Amino acid sequence: MQRVVHSADGAWAVAITKLRGENQFAAMTLDLAKCESAHTVDLQAAGEDVRFDAEFAIVKLNNKGEQRVPLRSGLVR
């Protein structure tokens, strides 16, 4: 399973993935202005949808609420 959701302003995208054969899920934020991956986090459950709120992507989880994912990594670059 893989799904990509774009922000309304076109600046960001979030890819929701599932590790094949495992019950592990992740979300990867993509900075479309820089054409690079910005941040990747493990999800607590399968992601169903994404909405964007300032500095976060809010991933709706399959029957488990929501998980906030920072668009940018907290690491200094």
Side-chain angles (χ1 to χ4, degrees):
M1 169 184 81
Q2 184 167 350
R3 181 167 185 226
V4 178
V5 180
H6 294 84
S7 64
D9 64 6
W12 294 94
V14 174
I16 300 172
T17 63
K18 179 188 182 300
L19 184 61
R20 186 180 305 204
E22 299 293 329
N23 199 27
Q24 294 179 318
F25 307 93
M28 177 188 306
T29 62
L30 306 161
D31 184 335
L32 299 178
K34 295 181 180 179
C35 294
E36 65 183 23
S37 169
H39 195 57
T40 303
V41 298
D42 290 333
L43 295 175
Q44 301 166 1
E48 291 183 345
D49 198 12
V50 178
R51 71 180 194 278
F52 294 84
D53 178 28
E55 298 295 315
F56 293 90
I58 297 125
V59 180
K60 181 180 177 188
L61 302 175
N62 186 20
N63 298 323
K64 299 222 181 201
E66 298 177 334
Q67 185 172 338
R68 295 172 64 88
V69 177
L71 293 172
R72 292 178 176 84
S73 173
L75 302 175
V76 176
R77 294 183 192 220

